mmCIF file of all heavy atoms in Angstrom:
data_model
loop_
_atom_site.group_PDB
_atom_site.id
_atom_site.type_symbol
_atom_site.label_atom_id
_atom_site.label_comp_id
_atom_site.label_asym_id
_atom_site.label_seq_id
_atom_site.Cartn_x
_atom_site.Cartn_y
_atom_site.Cartn_z
ATOM 1 N N ARG A 1 107.328 106.782 92.508
ATOM 2 C CA ARG A 1 106.936 107.646 93.681
ATOM 3 C C ARG A 1 106.255 106.881 94.780
ATOM 4 O O ARG A 1 106.432 107.042 95.978
ATOM 5 C CB ARG A 1 106.125 108.874 93.271
ATOM 6 C CG ARG A 1 106.917 109.880 92.634
ATOM 7 C CD ARG A 1 106.004 111.140 92.306
ATOM 8 N NE ARG A 1 106.674 112.182 91.489
ATOM 9 C CZ ARG A 1 107.321 113.244 92.047
ATOM 10 N NH1 ARG A 1 107.458 113.324 93.321
ATOM 11 N NH2 ARG A 1 107.875 114.077 91.309
ATOM 12 N N GLN A 2 105.458 106.016 94.288
ATOM 13 C CA GLN A 2 104.617 105.039 95.177
ATOM 14 C C GLN A 2 105.484 104.142 95.921
ATOM 15 O O GLN A 2 105.358 103.894 97.199
ATOM 16 C CB GLN A 2 103.553 104.212 94.499
ATOM 17 C CG GLN A 2 102.438 105.025 93.959
ATOM 18 C CD GLN A 2 101.524 104.310 92.993
ATOM 19 O OE1 GLN A 2 101.802 103.246 92.513
ATOM 20 N NE2 GLN A 2 100.379 104.786 92.692
ATOM 21 N N MET A 3 106.685 103.696 95.242
ATOM 22 C CA MET A 3 107.623 102.897 95.955
ATOM 23 C C MET A 3 108.398 103.672 97.012
ATOM 24 O O MET A 3 108.768 103.243 98.097
ATOM 25 C CB MET A 3 108.630 102.378 94.935
ATOM 26 C CG MET A 3 108.149 101.183 94.092
ATOM 27 S SD MET A 3 109.487 100.790 93.017
ATOM 28 C CE MET A 3 108.473 100.272 91.512
ATOM 29 N N VAL A 4 108.706 104.945 96.707
ATOM 30 C CA VAL A 4 109.326 105.847 97.752
ATOM 31 C C VAL A 4 108.427 106.012 98.976
ATOM 32 O O VAL A 4 108.985 105.994 100.015
ATOM 33 C CB VAL A 4 109.726 107.245 97.055
ATOM 34 C CG1 VAL A 4 110.148 108.281 98.156
ATOM 35 C CG2 VAL A 4 110.764 107.066 95.987
ATOM 36 N N ASN A 5 107.124 106.124 98.732
ATOM 37 C CA ASN A 5 106.257 106.346 99.880
ATOM 38 C C ASN A 5 105.936 105.127 100.606
ATOM 39 O O ASN A 5 105.328 105.170 101.632
ATOM 40 C CB ASN A 5 104.916 107.003 99.302
ATOM 41 C CG ASN A 5 105.134 108.459 98.802
ATOM 42 O OD1 ASN A 5 106.032 109.119 99.314
ATOM 43 N ND2 ASN A 5 104.383 108.800 97.811
ATOM 44 N N ASN A 6 106.387 104.029 100.104
ATOM 45 C CA ASN A 6 106.131 102.582 100.865
ATOM 46 C C ASN A 6 106.998 102.671 102.212
ATOM 47 O O ASN A 6 108.168 102.863 102.032
ATOM 48 C CB ASN A 6 106.485 101.538 99.896
ATOM 49 C CG ASN A 6 106.204 100.185 100.578
ATOM 50 O OD1 ASN A 6 105.940 99.975 101.659
ATOM 51 N ND2 ASN A 6 106.403 99.203 99.740
ATOM 52 N N GLN A 7 106.339 102.475 103.194
ATOM 53 C CA GLN A 7 107.005 102.432 104.510
ATOM 54 C C GLN A 7 107.956 101.313 104.627
ATOM 55 O O GLN A 7 108.829 101.284 105.539
ATOM 56 C CB GLN A 7 105.863 102.341 105.707
ATOM 57 C CG GLN A 7 105.100 103.577 105.680
ATOM 58 C CD GLN A 7 104.034 103.596 106.910
ATOM 59 O OE1 GLN A 7 103.834 102.516 107.375
ATOM 60 N NE2 GLN A 7 103.375 104.640 107.174
ATOM 61 N N ASP A 8 107.832 100.283 103.907
ATOM 62 C CA ASP A 8 108.725 99.002 103.919
ATOM 63 C C ASP A 8 110.141 99.346 103.326
ATOM 64 O O ASP A 8 111.029 98.597 103.381
ATOM 65 C CB ASP A 8 108.131 97.874 103.421
ATOM 66 C CG ASP A 8 106.794 97.408 104.290
ATOM 67 O OD1 ASP A 8 106.804 97.643 105.417
ATOM 68 O OD2 ASP A 8 105.941 96.798 103.708
ATOM 69 N N ALA A 9 110.168 100.445 102.447
ATOM 70 C CA ALA A 9 111.359 100.666 101.707
ATOM 71 C C ALA A 9 112.423 101.133 102.691
ATOM 72 O O ALA A 9 112.262 102.011 103.582
ATOM 73 C CB ALA A 9 111.050 101.705 100.607
ATOM 74 N N SER A 10 113.675 100.678 102.411
ATOM 75 C CA SER A 10 114.739 101.117 103.374
ATOM 76 C C SER A 10 115.150 102.486 102.833
ATOM 77 O O SER A 10 114.850 103.036 101.885
ATOM 78 C CB SER A 10 116.017 100.180 103.167
ATOM 79 O OG SER A 10 116.438 100.378 101.776
ATOM 80 N N PRO A 11 115.806 103.195 103.868
ATOM 81 C CA PRO A 11 116.271 104.573 103.680
ATOM 82 C C PRO A 11 117.263 104.642 102.343
ATOM 83 O O PRO A 11 117.049 105.592 101.556
ATOM 84 C CB PRO A 11 117.041 105.003 104.832
ATOM 85 C CG PRO A 11 116.321 104.169 105.946
ATOM 86 C CD PRO A 11 116.014 102.942 105.293
ATOM 87 N N GLU A 12 118.102 103.620 102.306
ATOM 88 C CA GLU A 12 118.951 103.669 101.171
ATOM 89 C C GLU A 12 118.180 103.414 99.698
ATOM 90 O O GLU A 12 118.514 103.969 98.727
ATOM 91 C CB GLU A 12 120.010 102.498 101.296
ATOM 92 C CG GLU A 12 121.012 102.623 102.389
ATOM 93 C CD GLU A 12 120.324 102.079 103.724
ATOM 94 O OE1 GLU A 12 119.386 101.472 103.663
ATOM 95 O OE2 GLU A 12 121.033 102.439 104.741
ATOM 96 N N GLY A 13 117.208 102.533 99.855
ATOM 97 C CA GLY A 13 116.357 102.422 98.772
ATOM 98 C C GLY A 13 115.614 103.545 98.232
ATOM 99 O O GLY A 13 115.514 103.759 97.105
ATOM 100 N N LYS A 14 115.046 104.262 99.256
ATOM 101 C CA LYS A 14 114.397 105.483 99.025
ATOM 102 C C LYS A 14 115.181 106.617 98.367
ATOM 103 O O LYS A 14 114.814 107.198 97.463
ATOM 104 C CB LYS A 14 113.810 106.014 100.251
ATOM 105 C CG LYS A 14 112.544 105.314 100.790
ATOM 106 C CD LYS A 14 111.904 105.919 102.009
ATOM 107 C CE LYS A 14 110.766 105.123 102.483
ATOM 108 N NZ LYS A 14 110.015 105.734 103.471
ATOM 109 N N VAL A 15 116.496 106.690 98.741
ATOM 110 C CA VAL A 15 117.389 107.593 98.133
ATOM 111 C C VAL A 15 117.677 107.224 96.732
ATOM 112 O O VAL A 15 117.669 108.129 95.817
ATOM 113 C CB VAL A 15 118.806 107.619 98.914
ATOM 114 C CG1 VAL A 15 119.858 108.398 98.186
ATOM 115 C CG2 VAL A 15 118.595 108.154 100.328
ATOM 116 N N ALA A 16 117.908 105.991 96.446
ATOM 117 C CA ALA A 16 118.036 105.484 95.077
ATOM 118 C C ALA A 16 116.843 105.737 94.274
ATOM 119 O O ALA A 16 116.940 106.212 93.087
ATOM 120 C CB ALA A 16 118.417 104.005 95.097
ATOM 121 N N LEU A 17 115.669 105.521 94.771
ATOM 122 C CA LEU A 17 114.472 105.589 94.000
ATOM 123 C C LEU A 17 114.291 107.099 93.722
ATOM 124 O O LEU A 17 113.685 107.631 92.627
ATOM 125 C CB LEU A 17 113.231 105.192 94.777
ATOM 126 C CG LEU A 17 113.142 103.623 94.787
ATOM 127 C CD1 LEU A 17 112.138 103.109 95.791
ATOM 128 C CD2 LEU A 17 113.030 103.024 93.535
ATOM 129 N N LEU A 18 114.550 108.029 94.770
ATOM 130 C CA LEU A 18 114.505 109.432 94.472
ATOM 131 C C LEU A 18 115.323 109.973 93.306
ATOM 132 O O LEU A 18 114.990 110.848 92.672
ATOM 133 C CB LEU A 18 114.785 110.219 95.756
ATOM 134 C CG LEU A 18 113.732 110.235 96.877
ATOM 135 C CD1 LEU A 18 114.196 110.895 98.030
ATOM 136 C CD2 LEU A 18 112.424 110.772 96.323
ATOM 137 N N GLY A 19 116.557 109.338 93.182
ATOM 138 C CA GLY A 19 117.373 109.557 91.978
ATOM 139 C C GLY A 19 116.667 109.279 90.661
ATOM 140 O O GLY A 19 116.824 109.975 89.716
ATOM 141 N N VAL A 20 115.993 108.134 90.732
ATOM 142 C CA VAL A 20 115.207 107.733 89.519
ATOM 143 C C VAL A 20 114.087 108.668 89.271
ATOM 144 O O VAL A 20 113.874 109.128 88.134
ATOM 145 C CB VAL A 20 114.735 106.281 89.647
ATOM 146 C CG1 VAL A 20 113.763 105.871 88.461
ATOM 147 C CG2 VAL A 20 115.732 105.309 89.796
ATOM 148 N N VAL A 21 113.448 109.243 90.254
ATOM 149 C CA VAL A 21 112.360 110.127 90.061
ATOM 150 C C VAL A 21 112.955 111.422 89.547
ATOM 151 O O VAL A 21 112.288 111.944 88.649
ATOM 152 C CB VAL A 21 111.666 110.314 91.484
ATOM 153 C CG1 VAL A 21 110.679 111.624 91.401
ATOM 154 C CG2 VAL A 21 110.928 109.255 91.894
ATOM 155 N N SER A 22 114.121 111.805 90.043
ATOM 156 C CA SER A 22 114.692 113.037 89.433
ATOM 157 C C SER A 22 114.968 112.848 87.989
ATOM 158 O O SER A 22 114.730 113.798 87.153
ATOM 159 C CB SER A 22 115.969 113.416 90.339
ATOM 160 O OG SER A 22 116.699 114.508 89.808
ATOM 161 N N LEU A 23 115.608 111.717 87.647
ATOM 162 C CA LEU A 23 115.886 111.491 86.244
ATOM 163 C C LEU A 23 114.604 111.489 85.400
ATOM 164 O O LEU A 23 114.653 112.137 84.315
ATOM 165 C CB LEU A 23 116.611 110.089 86.191
ATOM 166 C CG LEU A 23 116.816 109.637 84.669
ATOM 167 C CD1 LEU A 23 117.917 110.397 84.041
ATOM 168 C CD2 LEU A 23 117.135 108.206 84.717
ATOM 169 N N LEU A 24 113.663 110.885 85.794
ATOM 170 C CA LEU A 24 112.331 110.875 85.076
ATOM 171 C C LEU A 24 111.757 112.295 84.889
ATOM 172 O O LEU A 24 111.257 112.612 83.779
ATOM 173 C CB LEU A 24 111.362 109.840 85.834
ATOM 174 C CG LEU A 24 111.714 108.437 85.669
ATOM 175 C CD1 LEU A 24 110.770 107.682 86.655
ATOM 176 C CD2 LEU A 24 111.585 107.948 84.292
ATOM 177 N N GLU A 25 111.770 113.053 86.049
ATOM 178 C CA GLU A 25 111.240 114.406 85.985
ATOM 179 C C GLU A 25 112.041 115.185 84.829
ATOM 180 O O GLU A 25 111.438 116.037 84.123
ATOM 181 C CB GLU A 25 111.509 115.187 87.206
ATOM 182 C CG GLU A 25 110.529 114.744 88.215
ATOM 183 C CD GLU A 25 110.546 115.319 89.650
ATOM 184 O OE1 GLU A 25 111.634 116.161 89.783
ATOM 185 O OE2 GLU A 25 109.827 115.172 90.566
ATOM 186 N N GLY A 26 113.444 115.060 84.735
ATOM 187 C CA GLY A 26 114.141 115.683 83.773
ATOM 188 C C GLY A 26 113.787 115.294 82.423
ATOM 189 O O GLY A 26 113.671 116.075 81.535
ATOM 190 N N LEU A 27 113.695 113.987 82.153
ATOM 191 C CA LEU A 27 113.117 113.572 80.854
ATOM 192 C C LEU A 27 111.837 114.101 80.396
ATOM 193 O O LEU A 27 111.508 114.479 79.312
ATOM 194 C CB LEU A 27 113.167 111.939 80.825
ATOM 195 C CG LEU A 27 114.455 111.407 80.939
ATOM 196 C CD1 LEU A 27 114.375 109.859 81.070
ATOM 197 C CD2 LEU A 27 115.246 111.632 79.684
ATOM 198 N N ILE A 28 110.868 114.034 81.538
ATOM 199 C CA ILE A 28 109.569 114.705 81.164
ATOM 200 C C ILE A 28 109.495 116.128 80.891
ATOM 201 O O ILE A 28 109.027 116.561 79.899
ATOM 202 C CB ILE A 28 108.628 114.388 82.347
ATOM 203 C CG1 ILE A 28 108.477 112.753 82.455
ATOM 204 C CG2 ILE A 28 107.339 115.029 82.230
ATOM 205 C CD1 ILE A 28 107.708 112.285 83.783
ATOM 206 N N LYS A 29 110.417 116.881 81.619
ATOM 207 C CA LYS A 29 110.448 118.261 81.296
ATOM 208 C C LYS A 29 110.937 118.540 79.964
ATOM 209 O O LYS A 29 110.550 119.432 79.307
ATOM 210 C CB LYS A 29 111.203 118.924 82.435
ATOM 211 C CG LYS A 29 110.581 119.070 83.713
ATOM 212 C CD LYS A 29 111.369 119.788 84.682
ATOM 213 C CE LYS A 29 110.622 119.970 86.117
ATOM 214 N NZ LYS A 29 111.367 120.633 87.108
ATOM 215 N N GLU A 30 112.061 117.752 79.642
ATOM 216 C CA GLU A 30 112.653 117.919 78.256
ATOM 217 C C GLU A 30 111.686 117.630 77.203
ATOM 218 O O GLU A 30 111.528 118.386 76.165
ATOM 219 C CB GLU A 30 113.761 116.995 78.249
ATOM 220 C CG GLU A 30 114.599 117.077 76.921
ATOM 221 C CD GLU A 30 115.814 116.230 76.910
ATOM 222 O OE1 GLU A 30 116.521 116.162 77.820
ATOM 223 O OE2 GLU A 30 115.869 115.445 75.796
ATOM 224 N N LYS A 31 110.861 116.625 77.347
ATOM 225 C CA LYS A 31 109.942 116.186 76.234
ATOM 226 C C LYS A 31 108.757 117.217 76.208
ATOM 227 O O LYS A 31 108.100 117.399 75.109
ATOM 228 C CB LYS A 31 109.395 114.862 76.520
ATOM 229 C CG LYS A 31 110.321 113.828 76.186
ATOM 230 C CD LYS A 31 110.610 113.644 74.764
ATOM 231 C CE LYS A 31 111.686 112.745 74.385
ATOM 232 N NZ LYS A 31 112.057 112.907 72.965
ATOM 233 N N THR A 32 108.359 117.833 77.292
ATOM 234 C CA THR A 32 107.264 118.775 77.341
ATOM 235 C C THR A 32 107.716 120.202 77.136
ATOM 236 O O THR A 32 106.907 121.183 77.144
ATOM 237 C CB THR A 32 106.332 118.637 78.614
ATOM 238 O OG1 THR A 32 107.271 118.933 79.793
ATOM 239 C CG2 THR A 32 105.791 117.287 78.732
ATOM 240 N N GLY A 33 108.947 120.496 77.086
ATOM 241 C CA GLY A 33 109.484 121.824 76.838
ATOM 242 C C GLY A 33 109.388 122.692 78.052
ATOM 243 O O GLY A 33 109.392 123.897 77.878
ATOM 244 N N GLN A 34 109.588 122.045 79.231
ATOM 245 C CA GLN A 34 109.439 122.819 80.433
ATOM 246 C C GLN A 34 110.765 123.014 81.173
ATOM 247 O O GLN A 34 110.994 123.020 82.287
ATOM 248 C CB GLN A 34 108.486 122.155 81.419
ATOM 249 C CG GLN A 34 107.037 122.021 81.006
ATOM 250 C CD GLN A 34 106.171 121.276 82.002
ATOM 251 O OE1 GLN A 34 106.692 120.826 83.055
ATOM 252 N NE2 GLN A 34 104.939 121.079 81.608
ATOM 253 N N ASP A 35 111.793 123.065 80.322
ATOM 254 C CA ASP A 35 113.295 123.123 80.805
ATOM 255 C C ASP A 35 113.549 124.530 81.371
ATOM 256 O O ASP A 35 114.609 124.625 81.974
ATOM 257 C CB ASP A 35 114.344 122.823 79.667
ATOM 258 C CG ASP A 35 114.937 121.462 79.900
ATOM 259 O OD1 ASP A 35 114.621 120.928 80.851
ATOM 260 O OD2 ASP A 35 115.670 121.111 79.043
ATOM 261 N N GLY A 36 112.656 125.484 81.131
ATOM 262 C CA GLY A 36 113.015 126.851 81.646
ATOM 263 C C GLY A 36 114.245 127.430 80.979
ATOM 264 O O GLY A 36 114.244 127.318 79.652
#
């Protein structure tokens, strides 16, 4: 998330990083039982 917020990151890089953030959120929700 800090990398996404970095102003030096390219738009394409931010999109790729947001995909990683989404993947991590899913893994964290799965492990904490917050899948709904």
Side-chain angles (χ1 to χ4, degrees):
R1 283 183 190 269
Q2 289 172 345
M3 290 181 210
V4 169
N5 292 329
N6 184 346
Q7 293 178 350
D8 294 333
S10 70
E12 296 85 10
K14 288 183 180 189
V15 169
L17 290 170
L18 287 172
V20 174
V21 169
S22 179
L23 172 73
L24 292 167
E25 284 178 358
L27 292 171
I28 291 168
K29 284 181 180 180
E30 183 180 311
K31 286 293 177 192
T32 58
Q34 298 175 1
D35 250 355

